[in-house]
């Protein structure tokens, strides 16, 4: 993997930026704290929490707009997706998200937001500019994971109790196909080239890699960690490096992140992180990977080149989602 | 990607392994394949409950049924994509023979699936009745009778409600983990109370609890007024770590916490209770099920609701994976090693293939919080830690078949 170290560059920028933005430093990671109704802001230079922002109730999934000026926040118990102006840290709008939004994915057009409404078995598509609901699509029980393909053609949703991946054609908002996978599918992630889709089954303990063109499974991956009962290995979050080398899989109460060779699908290593690890995001041009550890209430920082955990950072209660702004 | 092109072999193997159904759009499939109907009977024998002292929380009359209804709705949401249609027929009868007749009639109509919310005596008759024995899959959703799991198990009879032994084992593991091994047992006079007390004694032997005293209550006064006077006298039995109560109907047991001679916690059927499900269970995504249930039933979900819910969900999972409504196919699949189901308890559940009991973690709760969930860490088992709860394979003396 080609790696650019942005640190020095960021330091240089810092000097120029300081007069204009008081607290802005290098990259910042935003972490949603499900049981605190806050976001923790982590400075990725000092690897410490520099700010805590109050948001709506039970914040879970978070994602940035393309220009990183807006942060979308699933405030599940407020039944809304909040839009935060990143510069001022103010909530500037509530999107009509449907009931209990948990996860979402932004279409490459930077406009359509696909939202999984966990309590009402629908996927809601919202136009983030007009702030209107464009479509609602019936899916299985407890929709959870959401991903949009890099070419924007597919939106894929997982339903936890129905155990399916639901393939939605984004040009018609029609449900086109359903793929049965292992128990309790939680998360889906497209590869950067859009050819494969990785889906985690939390209770099944597996990852299904799907071929996107045929919408058929290519490979079933399972995990074994010495000393951890297989029932406790519960894959949730997935992150793929853009060079196609690694897939990182967060294994929930097994407290490990699996490093999978994204070409051979072989598990190369297990990294010990905090307790109940769920979601992840890359930072520093994919040199770092951050994980949210719900039970221990912290974020682990993984060095992607060395495949080592280098730090854990205490955040709020039940950290759920993480998104990094350069 | 190289492996994409060369993995046809993998793919074929996977298709078999996962029984993956990849179907065209729901509308298209509705035109091409026939709807698979899965009718399920919910059979209840309504029993007259004995009068109890506390009138605060009478058990809901529709316990079980509401859980089954939510599961039918859940399963139909899934079934819509596969063209599977689930339906529930509810029948409640006062006496056993009328209930049996209803079940036999259900089978005569060609149906094979029953949720039984019956006292254990009626349940025994049901699974032995001509026309039902060996023909139907019966899910016991309410009887905790240990004999049905240890000496009198029957092919075709699956239990989604935990047995008393599972419940008291779950409690005992917690007490031992806390090093509270000296127990004082107070039990009621009813047959269920004795059965619960016996289960506690079995658990004591299994996990190293010591019963330092045992008493039966015979109060005939209204304890609501006199508990503070009576119970300190009644509970002077030497020193112990915890009072265990066996009072399933909730008669006297409610008045024991805070009224014992020594300041000791109370557990069992009151106080800290082991239970299949409770309104306070919210972890592992359970809050979603609790919300769906509350919206539908306008009350919180109890253990019998959960047992009925998971019974229907188990069946639906088998139908989804086998694409069949044939009872023999479903039954064999339910008891195979392939079968697993997610059910909001933090790990996958499956059926014990030696007595038909659903293996499941047991929450330990008090009215407003989950205290713990057993099996406790450190209680090991060569097959599954969940099998440290209840009757294990070697302790079962009955013949149970994994095929109908």
């Amino acid at each position: 993997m080609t790696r650019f170290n942005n640190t020095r560059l960021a330091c240089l920028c810092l000097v120029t930026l300081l007069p204009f933005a008081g607290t802005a430093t290098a990259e910042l990671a935003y972490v949603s704290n499900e049981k605190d109704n806050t976001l923790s802001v982590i400075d990725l230079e000092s690897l410490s929490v520099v700010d805590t922002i109050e948001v709506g109730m039970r914040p879970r999934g978070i994602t940035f707009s393309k220009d990183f000026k807006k942060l979308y926040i699933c405030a599940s118990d407020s039944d809304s997706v909040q839009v935060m102006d990143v510069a001022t840290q103010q909530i500037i709008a509530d999107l009509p998200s449907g009931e209990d939004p948990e996860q979402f994915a932004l279409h490459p057009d930077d406009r359509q937001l696909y939202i999984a409404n966990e309590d009402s078995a629908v996927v809601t598509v919202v136009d983030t500019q007009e702030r209107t609901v464009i479509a609602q699509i019936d899916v299985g029980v407890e929709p959870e994971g959401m991903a949009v393909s890099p070419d924007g053609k597919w939106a894929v949703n997982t339903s936890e109790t129905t155990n399916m991946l639901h393939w939605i054609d984004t040009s018609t908002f029609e449900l086109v196909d359903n793929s049965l996978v292992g128990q309790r599918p939680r998360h889906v992630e497209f590869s950067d080239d859009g050819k494969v889709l990785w889906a985690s089954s939390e209770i099944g303990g597996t990852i299904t890699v799907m071929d996107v063109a045929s919408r058929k499974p290519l490979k079933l991956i399972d995990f074994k960690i010495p000393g951890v009962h297989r029932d406790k290995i519960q894959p949730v979050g997935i992150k793929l490096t853009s060079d196609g080398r690694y897939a990182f899989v967060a294994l929930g109460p097994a407290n490990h992140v699996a490093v999978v060779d994204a070409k051979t699908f072989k598990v190369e290593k297990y990294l010990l992180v905090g307790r109940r690890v769920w979601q992840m995001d890359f930072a520093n041009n994919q040199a770092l990977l951050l994980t949210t550890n719900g039970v221990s209430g912290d974020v682990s920082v993984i060095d992607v080149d060395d495949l080592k955990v280098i730090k854990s950072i205490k955040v709020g209660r039940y950290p759920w989602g993480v998104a990094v702004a350069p | 990607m190289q492996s994409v092109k060369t993995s046809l072999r993998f793919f074929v193997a996977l298709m078999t392994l996962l029984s993956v159904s990849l179907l065209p759009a729901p509308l298209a499939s509705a035109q091409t394949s026939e709807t698979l109907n899965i009718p399920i009977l919910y059979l209840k024998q309504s029993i007259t409950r004995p009068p109890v002292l506390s009138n605060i929380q009478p058990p809901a009359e529709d316990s079980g049924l509401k859980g089954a209804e939510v599961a039918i709705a859940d399963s139909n949401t899934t079934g819509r994509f596969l063209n599977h249609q689930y339906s529930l027929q509810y029948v409640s009868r006062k006496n056993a023979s009328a209930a049996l007749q209803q079940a036999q009639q259900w089978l005569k109509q060609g149906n094979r699936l029953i949720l039984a919310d019956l006292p254990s005596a009626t349940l025994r008759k049901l699974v032995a009745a001509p026309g039902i024995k060996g023909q139907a899959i019966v899910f016991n959703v309410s009887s905790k009778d240990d004999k049905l799991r240890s000496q009198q198990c029957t092919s075709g009879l699956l239990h989604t409600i935990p047995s008393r032994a599972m419940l008291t084992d779950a409690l005992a593991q917690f007490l031992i983990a806390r090093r509270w091994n000296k127990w004082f047992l107070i039990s009621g006079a009813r047959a269920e109370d004795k059965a619960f007390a016996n289960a506690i004694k079995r658990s004591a032997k299994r996990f190293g609890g010591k019963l330092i005293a045992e008493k039966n209550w015979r109060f005939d006064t209204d304890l609501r007024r006199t508990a503070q006077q009576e119970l300190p006298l009644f509970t002077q039995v030497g020193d112990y770590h915890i009072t265990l109560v066996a009072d399933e109907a909730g008669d006297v047991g409610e008045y024991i916490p805070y009224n014992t001679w020594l300041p000791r916690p109370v557990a069992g059927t009151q106080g800290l209770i082991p239970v299949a499900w409770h309104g306070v269970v919210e972890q592992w995504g359970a809050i979603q099920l609790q919300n769906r249930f509350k919206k539908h039933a306008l009350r919180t979900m109890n253990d019998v609701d959960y047992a009925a819910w998971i019974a229907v969900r188990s069946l639906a999972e088998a139908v989804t994976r086998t694409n069949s409504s044939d009872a023999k196919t479903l039954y064999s699949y339910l008891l195979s090693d392939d079968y697993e189901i997610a059910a909001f308890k933090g790990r996958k559940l499956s059926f014990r293939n030696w007595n038909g009991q659903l293996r499941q973690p047991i929450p330990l709760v008090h009215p407003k919080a989950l205290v713990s969930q057993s099996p406790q860490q450190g209680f090991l088992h060569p097959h599954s830690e969940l099998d440290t709860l209840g009757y294990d394979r070697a302790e079962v003396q009955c013949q149970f078949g994994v095929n109908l």
Side-chain angles (χ1 to χ4, degrees):
Chain A
M1 177 173 160
T2 331
R3 177 182 162 191
F4 300 96
N5 195 332
N6 274 356
T7 319
R8 213 161 294 151
L9 191 65
C11 288
L12 286 173
C13 295
L14 186 66
V15 181
T16 25
L17 276 175
L18 264 177
F20 306 103
T23 54
T25 53
E27 279 188 323
L28 294 175
Y30 291 75
V31 177
S32 59
N33 301 309
E34 186 179 345
K35 291 268 178 192
D36 266 355
N37 301 346
T38 59
L39 302 178
S40 297
V41 186
I42 298 173
D43 179 331
L44 288 167
E45 182 99 313
S46 63
L47 296 180
S48 60
V49 175
V50 291
D51 216 341
T52 303
I53 306 165
E54 283 194 20
V55 294
M57 280 151 68
R58 203 174 175 210
R60 293 195 277 178
I62 51 177
T63 195
F64 281 103
S65 61
K66 281 261 151 70
D67 59 7
F68 295 97
K69 284 186 177 156
K70 284 181 283 188
L71 180 70
Y72 299 106
I73 306 159
C74 281
S76 303
D77 284 357
S78 300
D79 290 335
S80 90
V81 167
Q82 299 188 313
V83 187
M84 189 181 86
D85 177 64
V86 176
T88 61
Q89 299 187 347
Q90 296 297 309
I91 304 292
I92 50 171
D94 283 282
L95 297 177
S97 66
E99 262 182 275
D100 193 22
E102 175 158 9
Q103 278 205 59
F104 47 22
L106 190 62
H107 192 276
D109 70 4
D110 200 24
R111 216 172 144 162
Q112 289 176 11
L113 195 60
Y114 284 77
I115 305 167
N117 297 119
E118 194 162 31
D119 270 1
S120 49
V122 295
V123 165
T124 301
V125 190
V126 170
D127 182 327
T128 55
Q129 281 175 23
E130 301 290 328
R131 294 175 193 162
T132 52
V133 172
I134 311 170
Q136 281 202 317
I137 304 127
D138 286 330
V139 291
V141 184
E142 291 165 34
E144 166 96 17
M146 247 351 294
V148 179
S149 59
D151 63 5
K153 183 170 183 278
W154 293 112
V156 176
N157 163 254
T158 72
S159 52
E160 290 175 335
T161 292
T162 295
N163 299 320
M164 283 179 182
L165 310 182
H166 304 286
W167 299 76
I168 298 163
D169 183 334
T170 56
S171 59
T172 58
F173 305 119
E174 297 265 334
L175 187 65
V176 176
D177 204 349
N178 306 288
S179 319
L180 201 52
V181 293
Q183 294 290 310
R184 203 168 164 85
R186 283 293 299 269
H187 189 88
V188 269
E189 195 87 13
F190 280 95
S191 60
D192 272 19
D193 61 11
K195 285 185 181 159
V196 292
L197 174 75
W198 292 56
S200 59
S201 293
E202 185 181 23
I203 294 294
T206 53
I207 293 276
T208 308
V209 184
M210 304 288 294
D211 174 46
V212 173
S214 63
R215 301 192 297 274
K216 295 201 185 321
L218 281 175
K219 176 76 182 167
L220 190 72
I221 303 170
D222 55 17
F223 304 92
K224 284 185 188 73
I225 306 173
V228 180
H229 193 277
R230 65 189 155 86
D231 285 3
K232 289 204 171 150
I233 299 180
Q234 302 182 351
V236 179
I238 303 163
K239 274 289 171 192
L240 306 168
T241 56
S242 34
D243 60 4
R245 183 168 169 202
Y246 291 131
F248 292 92
V249 181
L251 297 177
N255 307 336
H256 281 78
V257 170
V259 185
V260 185
D261 184 317
K263 295 195 175 82
T264 63
F265 306 125
K266 270 215 176 97
V267 182
E268 292 198 348
K269 206 171 172 184
Y270 295 100
L271 306 171
L272 181 65
V273 292
R275 293 176 62 197
R276 204 222 62 188
V277 53
W278 269 3
Q279 297 295 335
M280 299 176 291
D281 199 9
F282 287 115
N284 197 5
N285 206 15
Q286 302 200 344
L288 295 179
L289 180 71
L290 309 178
T291 74
T292 57
N293 314 317
V295 172
S296 48
D298 52 21
V299 164
S300 297
V301 184
I302 294 169
D303 183 312
V304 172
D305 265 7
D306 295 347
L307 297 181
K308 286 208 168 106
V309 181
I310 55 172
K311 182 150 189 187
S312 66
I313 305 162
K314 189 82 190 149
V315 290
R317 290 200 297 177
Y318 263 64
W320 197 103
V322 53
V324 174
Chain B
M1 197 182 273
Q2 188 58 27
S3 53
V4 175
K5 291 169 193 154
T6 57
S7 61
L8 189 68
R9 224 163 7 122
F10 268 127
F11 169 58
V12 173
L14 256 177
M15 288 295 281
T16 332
L17 191 71
L18 285 170
S19 319
V20 172
S21 315
L22 294 151
L23 294 177
L27 271 178
S29 63
Q31 289 156 356
T32 51
S33 68
E34 256 180 54
T35 304
L36 200 58
N37 285 304
I38 303 100
I40 302 167
L41 174 69
Y42 190 102
L43 182 62
K44 178 178 172 140
Q45 184 183 350
S46 55
I47 43 169
T48 314
R49 293 182 192 279
V52 292
L53 290 178
S54 168
N55 303 315
I56 308 297
Q57 281 181 321
E61 276 305 311
D62 53 6
S63 284
L65 174 64
K66 289 293 161 191
E69 286 174 357
V70 169
I72 290 281
D74 285 356
S75 303
N76 276 330
T77 308
T78 305
R80 201 176 56 204
F81 305 114
L82 300 166
N83 216 4
H84 298 161
Q85 178 70 42
Y86 300 86
S87 58
L88 191 71
Q89 187 169 335
Y90 173 67
V91 172
S92 175
R93 291 290 179 273
K94 281 227 164 69
N95 71 60
S97 57
L100 281 183
Q101 262 178 14
Q102 289 292 321
Q104 281 168 319
Q105 202 179 332
W106 178 252
L107 267 95
K108 263 187 207 147
Q109 293 162 359
N111 303 302
R112 293 288 176 268
L113 309 174
I114 299 175
L115 263 56
D117 181 357
L118 305 170
S120 53
T122 313
L123 185 57
R124 275 189 198 95
K125 283 184 202 151
L126 176 83
V127 291
I132 296 176
K133 189 179 162 68
Q135 303 290 313
I137 307 180
V138 178
F139 288 88
N140 164 28
V141 300
S142 61
S143 170
K144 299 170 189 166
D145 192 337
D146 282 320
K147 287 205 176 104
L148 288 169
R149 281 88 164 174
S150 58
Q151 292 159 29
Q152 301 164 337
C153 47
T154 313
S155 306
L157 176 60
L158 303 175
H159 311 274
T160 51
I161 191 96
S163 63
R164 289 189 182 90
M166 285 172 78
L167 298 176
T168 57
D169 283 352
L171 178 60
Q173 285 190 5
F174 175 76
L175 300 180
I176 297 303
R178 294 301 321 269
R179 297 172 188 253
W180 298 342
N181 64 337
K182 290 186 204 161
W183 305 347
F184 166 37
L185 176 63
I186 303 178
S187 36
R190 298 192 177 100
E192 312 91 81
D193 303 340
K194 287 188 176 133
F196 193 87
N198 285 337
I200 286 180
K201 290 177 199 167
R202 174 185 162 280
S203 299
K205 212 178 271 175
R206 258 164 106 79
F207 297 109
K210 288 189 197 81
L211 283 177
I212 62 107
E214 189 188 346
K215 276 194 154 184
N216 302 316
W217 78 70
R218 294 289 178 275
F219 304 122
D220 47 12
T221 55
D222 186 346
L223 265 188
R224 286 177 295 180
R225 304 276 169 98
T226 58
Q228 198 181 341
Q229 283 80 47
E230 299 280 352
L231 281 166
L233 295 171
F234 182 72
T235 55
Q236 290 180 23
V237 293
D239 201 4
Y240 53 91
H241 292 128
I242 189 161
T243 309
L244 298 182
V245 185
D247 172 19
E248 288 202 351
D251 195 356
V252 176
E254 305 292 352
Y255 302 98
I256 294 176
Y258 310 106
N259 281 319
T260 50
W261 176 247
L262 296 172
R264 297 287 181 267
V266 173
T269 52
Q270 279 78 27
L272 176 69
I273 61 169
V275 67
W277 193 256
H278 193 271
V280 300
V281 178
E282 56 157 352
Q283 277 181 293
W284 307 289
I287 197 76
Q288 298 158 43
L289 175 60
Q290 302 277 25
N291 286 343
R292 280 208 295 286
F293 185 88
K294 260 184 237 164
K295 208 180 269 183
H296 177 72
L298 306 176
R299 60 176 175 82
T300 55
M301 190 174 191
N302 63 34
D303 56 344
V304 179
D305 293 316
Y306 180 80
W309 179 83
I310 189 67
V312 173
R313 285 292 306 130
S314 296
L315 265 177
E317 181 61 20
V319 171
T320 303
R321 302 283 167 177
T322 59
N323 198 26
S324 168
S325 60
D326 170 55
K328 284 188 194 324
T329 309
L330 296 176
Y331 185 74
S332 305
Y333 182 73
L334 284 165
L335 290 157
S336 71
D337 289 341
D338 293 337
Y339 182 78
E340 60 185 41
I341 188 159
F344 305 103
K345 286 193 166 187
R347 60 206 294 174
K348 54 190 103 162
L349 312 187
S350 53
F351 287 93
R352 292 179 180 148
N353 63 11
W354 61 87
N355 67 358
Q357 172 70 53
L358 184 73
R359 48 169 76 87
Q360 56 190 304
I362 304 289
L364 300 168
V365 307
H366 70 117
K368 280 199 161 184
L370 178 78
V371 174
S372 182
Q373 178 166 286
S374 288
Q376 298 292 317
Q377 213 163 9
F379 289 88
L380 304 176
H381 189 278
H383 176 65
S384 162
E385 288 156 31
L386 293 177
D387 287 343
T388 60
L389 305 177
Y391 282 85
D392 204 351
R393 187 190 299 268
E395 299 166 299
V396 166
Q397 294 150 9
C398 46
Q399 291 298 311
F400 180 79
V402 295
N403 295 302
L404 266 191

